[in-house]
Amino acid sequence: MSPLQLCLLFSSLLFCVGLAGALSRSNTILVLLGIELMLNAANLNFIAFWRYGPHPEAGTGLIFVLFAIAVAAAEAAVGLALVIAIHRHRKSIRLQEANSLKG
């Protein structure tokens, strides 16, 4: 197996673990953790294709990853703020109870 295939295999396993965690949990924080795992798998794909691509001396892969990390940090901050706001009103962070916040 080539190093690119190993990186892609590891990335797909990481994405599957994150997807399973995001879909099977009822705790909001664990769902956010699963989403972060999926974003890290995408970052690993960016790095692998940059490193084993035709022009690894160009820094395009690193720039994509830096933007993706910035977006992930913003997503985590907004998600945690929503979890704290829901916890203050409902005294729970379960997704089933947050569904009752609709209109």
Side-chain angles (χ1 to χ4, degrees), residues 33-89:
L33 185 71
I35 293 170
E36 290 294 325
L37 279 175
M38 290 187 287
L39 286 172
N40 284 333
N43 286 339
L44 186 59
N45 278 337
F46 280 134
I47 291 292
F49 281 118
W50 165 71
R51 172 64 179 89
Y52 298 109
H55 301 291
E57 62 275 355
T60 55
L62 292 177
I63 293 171
F64 278 131
V65 168
L66 287 177
F67 280 125
I69 288 173
V71 167
E75 176 260 334
V78 169
L80 192 58
L82 287 172
V83 168
I84 290 171
I86 290 171
H87 179 68
R88 283 184 183 165
H89 291 290

